[in-house]
Amino acid sequence: MTLKMYNTLTRKKEAFVPIEPGKVKMYACGPTVYNYIHIGNGRPAIFFDVVRRYLEFQGFEVNYVVNFTDVDDKLIRKAEETGSTVPELAETYIQAYYEDVRALGVKEASLNPRVTENMEGIIAFIAELVDKDFAYEKGGDVYYRTAKFADYGKLSHQNLEELQYGIRIDVDERKESPQDFVLWKAAKPGEIYWESPWGQGRPGWHIECSAMVKRYLGETIDIHGGGQDLCFPHHECEIAQTEALTGKPMANYWLHNAFINIDNQKMSKSLGNGILIRDLLKNIRPEVFRFFMLAAHYRNPLNFSDDSVQQAANGLERIQNAYDNLKHRLATASPGPADALVEERAELTRGQFVEKMNDDFNTPDAITAVFDLVAEANLYLQHERVTVGGVQLFLEQLEAFDRVLGILRQGGDELLDEEIEQLIVERTEARKAKNWSRADEIRDLLTGKGIFLEDTPQGIRWRRK
């Protein structure tokens, strides 16, 4: 069975053929770190984590890069409002991002580069575009000349005229064309800046990812992903910049996940209906939210509501109960291998799971295969006599599926109250000492044990879920 994925560039499902056999170069656009991430950010974080996990499940070695935009207008404004600096603000929210996605079961990326660590490469990239006449400088700003790139609009399937209102920055008279977008922005008085051939300034939004993809993964990569909102202008502009520079395709496969609605309304600042991941996890177990995300196809809009989350919780409980019951029964199972029928059922459900995941990462149908396995396991556990081999085979199959989906609690001994209190004290001290890795490790341990932390004016409060 061949893995196929829907390529936004061609608008069709295509068989996946990696550039280098057995290896995958994959990039997903990460957050602009001026605030905590919300559930809209959670969808690409979880989905592309599953893509990466499934590729590894299939035996690929995946080099997965997710960037941080740690300088831009939003960070500058937030730093001014809070009396902080841009680097301090970015560091705070980068560490918060790590905490939140780890709580959601997202595996750490191969690399999380930051814009501020790549300024030399970004400036060199822009300079080469200027040399090639794809960019021009006006008053300390540098703009990309979109009319010179014949394929501009090929990802979003629009022409230049249709795109003229989509550019993220305001139109100004210094541009040769309204569609031209900024590569380098001159710094205003008092703003953070870097020296460049065009004066003091900072990069535009789009150039960052082009430079980091090229540096860390190469001129052409296998998979580039992100939310549907990034298709235009961000990814469209990335393609224009990179392909003008290299003359090669930037990515062979472009994947975009759809939006999340809240109670059938689009999530937006104007409606004030956004939900932060860390607030969400005070009331919902992270694996339930992850299961909820994967219960719909990534290219379909997803509606977040109390009812839909409860349905996810109920469905996940069926899977979790089967897993826990299998582990419990293992202790009293009779010695011996799995019988032929158990092997047949396990192999059948594995084939169904792989078939569905190979069809454009169809997680809802893959979850149906998991439920089929659960039903078979539950029937098996009703037998008066079960074998160690039979129980282990069901367990191994569930755990194999979970290596892709990441939805099961593995269980373990429950922590005592005093142990929890001691770990919280240790985590607080680690954070004061800026030992972020140890602080994250403790939070992950507590989250994995069903212990949720909440910052209050009186200090950290904890509760069991």
Side-chain angles (χ1 to χ4, degrees):
M1 288 180 281
T2 302
L3 171 61
K4 293 185 176 182
M5 55 187 78
Y6 183 87
N7 190 347
T8 306
L9 188 65
T10 60
R11 289 189 173 178
K12 63 183 181 182
K13 291 180 188 177
E14 297 178 350
F16 178 63
V17 181
I19 296 166
E20 184 178 351
K23 296 185 177 181
V24 177
K25 294 185 288 185
M26 176 174 163
Y27 185 94
C29 293
T32 300
V33 286
Y34 71 103
N35 203 345
Y36 299 113
I37 61 170
H38 52 69
I39 63 172
N41 306 126
R43 189 169 199 189
I46 290 170
F47 170 65
F48 289 105
D49 176 60
V50 168
V51 171
R52 182 257 193 102
R53 284 168 174 256
Y54 185 65
L55 290 167
E56 291 176 341
F57 175 86
Q58 291 286 39
F60 289 102
E61 178 187 324
V62 182
N63 189 358
Y64 179 41
V65 176
V66 179
N67 76 296
F68 290 124
T69 297
D70 61 342
V71 60
D72 88 334
D73 292 344
K74 291 178 181 177
L75 277 112
I76 290 169
R77 286 196 297 269
K78 185 75 171 275
E80 289 172 352
E81 291 167 5
T82 58
S84 181
T85 67
V86 169
E88 288 170 345
L89 191 74
E91 188 62 37
T92 296
Y93 289 116
I94 284 172
Q95 297 307 324
Y97 169 87
Y98 282 132
E99 288 184 358
D100 290 345
V101 297
R102 282 171 183 153
L104 293 175
V106 173
K107 291 176 63 177
E108 190 170 333
S110 308
L111 190 67
N112 291 119
R114 307 182 186 197
V115 172
T116 55
E117 298 169 342
N118 285 273
M119 212 54 71
E120 184 180 338
I122 290 169
I123 291 169
F125 200 119
I126 297 170
E128 194 167 347
L129 287 174
V130 172
D131 289 344
K132 286 176 172 281
D133 202 35
F134 277 96
Y136 58 94
E137 184 266 342
K138 285 286 181 74
D141 293 337
V142 181
Y143 296 99
Y144 185 90
R145 190 173 273 121
T146 54
K148 189 175 173 65
F149 186 70
D151 286 336
Y152 191 73
K154 68 178 179 179
L155 183 67
S156 52
H157 303 278
Q158 301 174 79
N159 59 40
L160 273 175
E161 288 70 32
E162 291 170 330
L163 294 173
Q164 64 179 319
Y165 299 110
I167 303 300
R168 179 162 165 163
I169 70 165
D170 294 334
V171 172
D172 72 55
E173 62 280 0
R174 291 175 297 172
K175 292 185 182 183
E176 294 178 357
S177 167
Q179 295 88 0
D180 293 352
F181 57 89
V182 71
L183 299 173
W184 185 261
K185 302 181 73 169
K188 296 173 184 173
E191 288 185 346
I192 189 171
Y193 65 84
W194 285 260
E195 298 289 350
S196 81
W198 318 284
Q200 296 174 345
R202 64 184 185 279
W205 179 34
H206 314 305
I207 193 66
E208 308 162 358
C209 288
S210 283
M212 286 188 273
V213 168
K214 182 173 178 288
R215 176 181 177 183
Y216 296 110
L217 294 173
E219 293 182 336
T220 301
I221 67 173
D222 293 293
I223 299 171
H224 196 317
Q228 180 183 323
D229 55 316
L230 297 184
C231 182
F232 182 86
H234 188 50
H235 291 165
E236 194 75 71
C237 294
E238 279 187 56
I239 288 173
Q241 295 160 163
T242 297
E243 298 187 6
L245 189 77
T246 68
K248 301 173 184 177
M250 182 179 188
N252 289 337
Y253 304 87
W254 289 85
L255 275 60
H256 294 92
N257 64 274
F259 295 120
I260 291 184
N261 297 322
I262 309 288
D263 290 322
N264 293 310
Q265 285 188 307
K266 184 178 179 180
M267 190 169 64
S268 68
K269 288 181 182 176
S270 60
L271 291 173
N273 61 350
I275 303 172
L276 298 179
I277 292 292
R278 55 189 43 218
D279 290 339
L280 176 88
L281 297 184
K282 294 173 186 175
N283 302 304
I284 298 172
R285 295 200 316 274
E287 61 271 17
V288 169
F289 181 66
R290 189 175 171 104
F291 185 83
F292 160 75
M293 286 283 197
L294 300 178
H297 193 280
Y298 78 94
R299 286 192 287 114
N300 291 338
L302 184 57
N303 186 52
F304 181 91
S305 68
D306 290 343
D307 286 347
S308 58
V309 171
Q310 187 57 54
Q311 287 173 15
N314 294 341
L316 181 57
E317 187 177 11
R318 283 175 54 201
I319 299 171
Q320 186 69 51
N321 285 344
Y323 180 72
D324 293 342
N325 290 339
L326 284 163
K327 293 193 82 172
H328 179 72
R329 189 70 184 275
L330 193 60
T332 57
S334 302
D339 61 46
L341 186 60
V342 170
E343 289 182 345
E344 179 188 324
R345 296 302 186 194
E347 186 60 34
L348 181 65
T349 53
R350 180 184 174 86
Q352 290 171 342
F353 182 87
V354 168
E355 179 187 356
K356 298 307 179 183
M357 288 299 295
N358 277 348
D359 182 15
D360 193 30
F361 308 105
N362 189 339
T363 54
D365 283 359
I367 287 171
T368 299
V370 178
F371 279 127
D372 288 346
L373 183 71
V374 163
E376 295 289 350
N378 288 338
L379 284 172
Y380 184 67
L381 291 177
Q382 290 175 16
H383 296 172
E384 189 174 332
R385 180 186 178 277
V386 297
T387 65
V388 170
V391 174
Q392 281 182 333
L393 186 56
F394 278 119
L395 278 171
E396 287 166 6
Q397 197 62 77
L398 272 176
E399 288 169 352
F401 293 161
D402 193 55
R403 284 199 298 276
V404 175
L405 301 175
I407 53 176
L408 286 175
R409 290 195 315 276
Q410 298 299 321
D413 298 330
E414 192 171 90
L415 292 172
L416 301 173
D417 288 4
E418 53 267 31
E419 291 175 318
I420 296 169
E421 297 287 356
Q422 181 55 44
L423 283 168
I424 290 172
V425 169
E426 186 182 342
R427 180 174 179 271
T428 301
E429 292 302 317
R431 286 172 68 86
K432 284 180 183 175
K434 296 189 176 180
N435 185 353
W436 305 114
S437 61
R438 178 56 183 157
D440 291 342
E441 190 175 287
I442 294 169
R443 185 184 182 93
D444 290 347
L445 170 63
L446 293 170
T447 302
K449 299 287 187 181
I451 308 301
F452 291 85
L453 306 182
E454 182 177 359
D455 291 312
T456 72
Q458 295 75 37
I460 295 176
R461 231 173 37 195
W462 64 269
R463 61 184 174 80
R464 298 182 193 274
K465 186 66 180 176

PDB file of all heavy atoms in Angstrom, residues 31-47:
ATOM      1  N   PRO A  31       4.922  28.969  15.859  1.00  0.00           N
ATOM      2  CA  PRO A  31       4.195  30.146  16.332  1.00  0.00           C
ATOM      3  C   PRO A  31       5.027  31.425  16.334  1.00  0.00           C
ATOM      4  O   PRO A  31       6.258  31.392  16.364  1.00  0.00           O
ATOM      5  CB  PRO A  31       3.847  29.750  17.777  1.00  0.00           C
ATOM      6  CG  PRO A  31       5.002  28.885  18.194  1.00  0.00           C
ATOM      7  CD  PRO A  31       5.381  28.103  16.963  1.00  0.00           C
ATOM      8  N   THR A  32       4.321  32.554  16.281  1.00  0.00           N
ATOM      9  CA  THR A  32       4.916  33.840  16.613  1.00  0.00           C
ATOM     10  C   THR A  32       4.744  33.989  18.119  1.00  0.00           C
ATOM     11  O   THR A  32       3.621  34.024  18.631  1.00  0.00           O
ATOM     12  CB  THR A  32       4.202  34.982  15.871  1.00  0.00           C
ATOM     13  OG1 THR A  32       4.317  34.753  14.462  1.00  0.00           O
ATOM     14  CG2 THR A  32       4.812  36.326  16.225  1.00  0.00           C
ATOM     15  N   VAL A  33       5.856  34.056  18.846  1.00  0.00           N
ATOM     16  CA  VAL A  33       5.804  33.823  20.295  1.00  0.00           C
ATOM     17  C   VAL A  33       5.598  35.127  21.074  1.00  0.00           C
ATOM     18  O   VAL A  33       6.481  35.598  21.802  1.00  0.00           O
ATOM     19  CB  VAL A  33       7.054  33.059  20.769  1.00  0.00           C
ATOM     20  CG1 VAL A  33       6.968  31.606  20.356  1.00  0.00           C
ATOM     21  CG2 VAL A  33       8.342  33.673  20.201  1.00  0.00           C
ATOM     22  N   TYR A  34       4.403  35.704  20.923  1.00  0.00           N
ATOM     23  CA  TYR A  34       4.053  36.905  21.671  1.00  0.00           C
ATOM     24  C   TYR A  34       2.939  36.626  22.679  1.00  0.00           C
ATOM     25  O   TYR A  34       2.512  37.513  23.415  1.00  0.00           O
ATOM     26  CB  TYR A  34       3.622  38.026  20.722  1.00  0.00           C
ATOM     27  CG  TYR A  34       2.277  37.811  20.068  1.00  0.00           C
ATOM     28  CD1 TYR A  34       1.149  38.495  20.529  1.00  0.00           C
ATOM     29  CD2 TYR A  34       2.123  36.918  19.010  1.00  0.00           C
ATOM     30  CE1 TYR A  34      -0.081  38.296  19.937  1.00  0.00           C
ATOM     31  CE2 TYR A  34       0.904  36.722  18.418  1.00  0.00           C
ATOM     32  CZ  TYR A  34      -0.201  37.408  18.884  1.00  0.00           C
ATOM     33  OH  TYR A  34      -1.432  37.194  18.302  1.00  0.00           O
ATOM     34  N   ASN A  35       2.461  35.359  22.715  1.00  0.00           N
ATOM     35  CA  ASN A  35       1.379  35.000  23.633  1.00  0.00           C
ATOM     36  C   ASN A  35       1.377  33.483  23.767  1.00  0.00           C
ATOM     37  O   ASN A  35       2.107  32.773  23.084  1.00  0.00           O
ATOM     38  CB  ASN A  35       0.030  35.486  23.085  1.00  0.00           C
ATOM     39  CG  ASN A  35      -1.002  35.658  24.194  1.00  0.00           C
ATOM     40  OD1 ASN A  35      -0.825  35.165  25.307  1.00  0.00           O
ATOM     41  ND2 ASN A  35      -2.084  36.359  23.890  1.00  0.00           N
ATOM     42  N   TYR A  36       0.516  32.986  24.677  1.00  0.00           N
ATOM     43  CA  TYR A  36       0.319  31.541  24.799  1.00  0.00           C
ATOM     44  C   TYR A  36      -0.424  31.033  23.570  1.00  0.00           C
ATOM     45  O   TYR A  36      -1.200  31.761  22.949  1.00  0.00           O
ATOM     46  CB  TYR A  36      -0.493  31.213  26.059  1.00  0.00           C
ATOM     47  CG  TYR A  36       0.157  31.654  27.338  1.00  0.00           C
ATOM     48  CD1 TYR A  36      -0.407  32.668  28.120  1.00  0.00           C
ATOM     49  CD2 TYR A  36       1.331  31.059  27.785  1.00  0.00           C
ATOM     50  CE1 TYR A  36       0.194  33.073  29.302  1.00  0.00           C
ATOM     51  CE2 TYR A  36       1.932  31.455  28.971  1.00  0.00           C
ATOM     52  CZ  TYR A  36       1.357  32.470  29.725  1.00  0.00           C
ATOM     53  OH  TYR A  36       1.955  32.868  30.889  1.00  0.00           O
ATOM     54  N   ILE A  37      -0.203  29.773  23.215  1.00  0.00           N
ATOM     55  CA  ILE A  37      -0.880  29.226  22.039  1.00  0.00           C
ATOM     56  C   ILE A  37      -2.338  28.877  22.369  1.00  0.00           C
ATOM     57  O   ILE A  37      -2.659  28.508  23.492  1.00  0.00           O
ATOM     58  CB  ILE A  37      -0.146  28.005  21.458  1.00  0.00           C
ATOM     59  CG1 ILE A  37      -0.057  26.851  22.471  1.00  0.00           C
ATOM     60  CG2 ILE A  37       1.228  28.397  20.963  1.00  0.00           C
ATOM     61  CD1 ILE A  37       0.441  25.547  21.871  1.00  0.00           C
ATOM     62  N   HIS A  38      -3.208  28.996  21.353  1.00  0.00           N
ATOM     63  CA  HIS A  38      -4.625  28.690  21.517  1.00  0.00           C
ATOM     64  C   HIS A  38      -4.961  27.385  20.793  1.00  0.00           C
ATOM     65  O   HIS A  38      -4.083  26.778  20.156  1.00  0.00           O
ATOM     66  CB  HIS A  38      -5.503  29.849  21.023  1.00  0.00           C
ATOM     67  CG  HIS A  38      -5.181  30.295  19.628  1.00  0.00           C
ATOM     68  ND1 HIS A  38      -5.439  29.526  18.501  1.00  0.00           N
ATOM     69  CD2 HIS A  38      -4.610  31.439  19.163  1.00  0.00           C
ATOM     70  CE1 HIS A  38      -5.067  30.169  17.419  1.00  0.00           C
ATOM     71  NE2 HIS A  38      -4.547  31.331  17.787  1.00  0.00           N
ATOM     72  N   ILE A  39      -6.202  26.968  20.862  1.00  0.00           N
ATOM     73  CA  ILE A  39      -6.547  25.658  20.311  1.00  0.00           C
ATOM     74  C   ILE A  39      -6.415  25.620  18.788  1.00  0.00           C
ATOM     75  O   ILE A  39      -6.222  24.564  18.207  1.00  0.00           O
ATOM     76  CB  ILE A  39      -7.946  25.179  20.742  1.00  0.00           C
ATOM     77  CG1 ILE A  39      -9.062  26.092  20.234  1.00  0.00           C
ATOM     78  CG2 ILE A  39      -8.019  25.049  22.257  1.00  0.00           C
ATOM     79  CD1 ILE A  39     -10.450  25.531  20.486  1.00  0.00           C
ATOM     80  N   GLY A  40      -6.499  26.802  18.143  1.00  0.00           N
ATOM     81  CA  GLY A  40      -6.241  26.841  16.703  1.00  0.00           C
ATOM     82  C   GLY A  40      -4.809  26.461  16.386  1.00  0.00           C
ATOM     83  O   GLY A  40      -4.538  25.787  15.392  1.00  0.00           O
ATOM     84  N   ASN A  41      -3.868  26.902  17.233  1.00  0.00           N
ATOM     85  CA  ASN A  41      -2.465  26.496  17.063  1.00  0.00           C
ATOM     86  C   ASN A  41      -2.277  25.019  17.384  1.00  0.00           C
ATOM     87  O   ASN A  41      -1.347  24.376  16.881  1.00  0.00           O
ATOM     88  CB  ASN A  41      -1.553  27.295  18.003  1.00  0.00           C
ATOM     89  CG  ASN A  41      -1.705  28.794  17.881  1.00  0.00           C
ATOM     90  OD1 ASN A  41      -1.936  29.485  18.867  1.00  0.00           O
ATOM     91  ND2 ASN A  41      -1.592  29.315  16.669  1.00  0.00           N
ATOM     92  N   GLY A  42      -3.167  24.494  18.241  1.00  0.00           N
ATOM     93  CA  GLY A  42      -3.042  23.095  18.648  1.00  0.00           C
ATOM     94  C   GLY A  42      -3.300  22.122  17.514  1.00  0.00           C
ATOM     95  O   GLY A  42      -2.718  21.032  17.490  1.00  0.00           O
ATOM     96  N   ARG A  43      -4.143  22.522  16.559  1.00  0.00           N
ATOM     97  CA  ARG A  43      -4.465  21.570  15.485  1.00  0.00           C
ATOM     98  C   ARG A  43      -3.251  21.244  14.608  1.00  0.00           C
ATOM     99  O   ARG A  43      -2.939  20.064  14.415  1.00  0.00           O
ATOM    100  CB  ARG A  43      -5.634  22.082  14.632  1.00  0.00           C
ATOM    101  CG  ARG A  43      -6.112  20.992  13.667  1.00  0.00           C
ATOM    102  CD  ARG A  43      -7.409  21.308  12.966  1.00  0.00           C
ATOM    103  NE  ARG A  43      -8.001  20.072  12.437  1.00  0.00           N
ATOM    104  CZ  ARG A  43      -9.045  20.021  11.622  1.00  0.00           C
ATOM    105  NH1 ARG A  43      -9.649  21.146  11.253  1.00  0.00           N
ATOM    106  NH2 ARG A  43      -9.511  18.863  11.198  1.00  0.00           N
ATOM    107  N   PRO A  44      -2.533  22.227  14.051  1.00  0.00           N
ATOM    108  CA  PRO A  44      -1.351  21.852  13.275  1.00  0.00           C
ATOM    109  C   PRO A  44      -0.269  21.187  14.126  1.00  0.00           C
ATOM    110  O   PRO A  44       0.434  20.290  13.634  1.00  0.00           O
ATOM    111  CB  PRO A  44      -0.860  23.184  12.685  1.00  0.00           C
ATOM    112  CG  PRO A  44      -1.498  24.239  13.510  1.00  0.00           C
ATOM    113  CD  PRO A  44      -2.792  23.676  13.987  1.00  0.00           C
ATOM    114  N   ALA A  45      -0.134  21.617  15.382  1.00  0.00           N
ATOM    115  CA  ALA A  45       0.877  20.993  16.245  1.00  0.00           C
ATOM    116  C   ALA A  45       0.614  19.500  16.378  1.00  0.00           C
ATOM    117  O   ALA A  45       1.529  18.667  16.254  1.00  0.00           O
ATOM    118  CB  ALA A  45       0.886  21.661  17.618  1.00  0.00           C
ATOM    119  N   ILE A  46      -0.654  19.131  16.596  1.00  0.00           N
ATOM    120  CA  ILE A  46      -1.011  17.725  16.770  1.00  0.00           C
ATOM    121  C   ILE A  46      -0.995  16.992  15.431  1.00  0.00           C
ATOM    122  O   ILE A  46      -0.446  15.892  15.319  1.00  0.00           O
ATOM    123  CB  ILE A  46      -2.388  17.599  17.443  1.00  0.00           C
ATOM    124  CG1 ILE A  46      -2.299  18.034  18.905  1.00  0.00           C
ATOM    125  CG2 ILE A  46      -2.926  16.167  17.354  1.00  0.00           C
ATOM    126  CD1 ILE A  46      -3.640  18.180  19.605  1.00  0.00           C
ATOM    127  N   PHE A  47      -1.589  17.600  14.395  1.00  0.00           N
ATOM    128  CA  PHE A  47      -1.673  16.892  13.115  1.00  0.00           C
ATOM    129  C   PHE A  47      -0.295  16.597  12.539  1.00  0.00           C
ATOM    130  O   PHE A  47      -0.013  15.464  12.118  1.00  0.00           O
ATOM    131  CB  PHE A  47      -2.514  17.665  12.096  1.00  0.00           C
ATOM    132  CG  PHE A  47      -2.404  17.078  10.724  1.00  0.00           C
ATOM    133  CD1 PHE A  47      -2.892  15.803  10.462  1.00  0.00           C
ATOM    134  CD2 PHE A  47      -1.750  17.752   9.701  1.00  0.00           C
ATOM    135  CE1 PHE A  47      -2.754  15.219   9.206  1.00  0.00           C
ATOM    136  CE2 PHE A  47      -1.609  17.185   8.444  1.00  0.00           C
ATOM    137  CZ  PHE A  47      -2.115  15.917   8.198  1.00  0.00           C
TER     138      PHE A  47
END
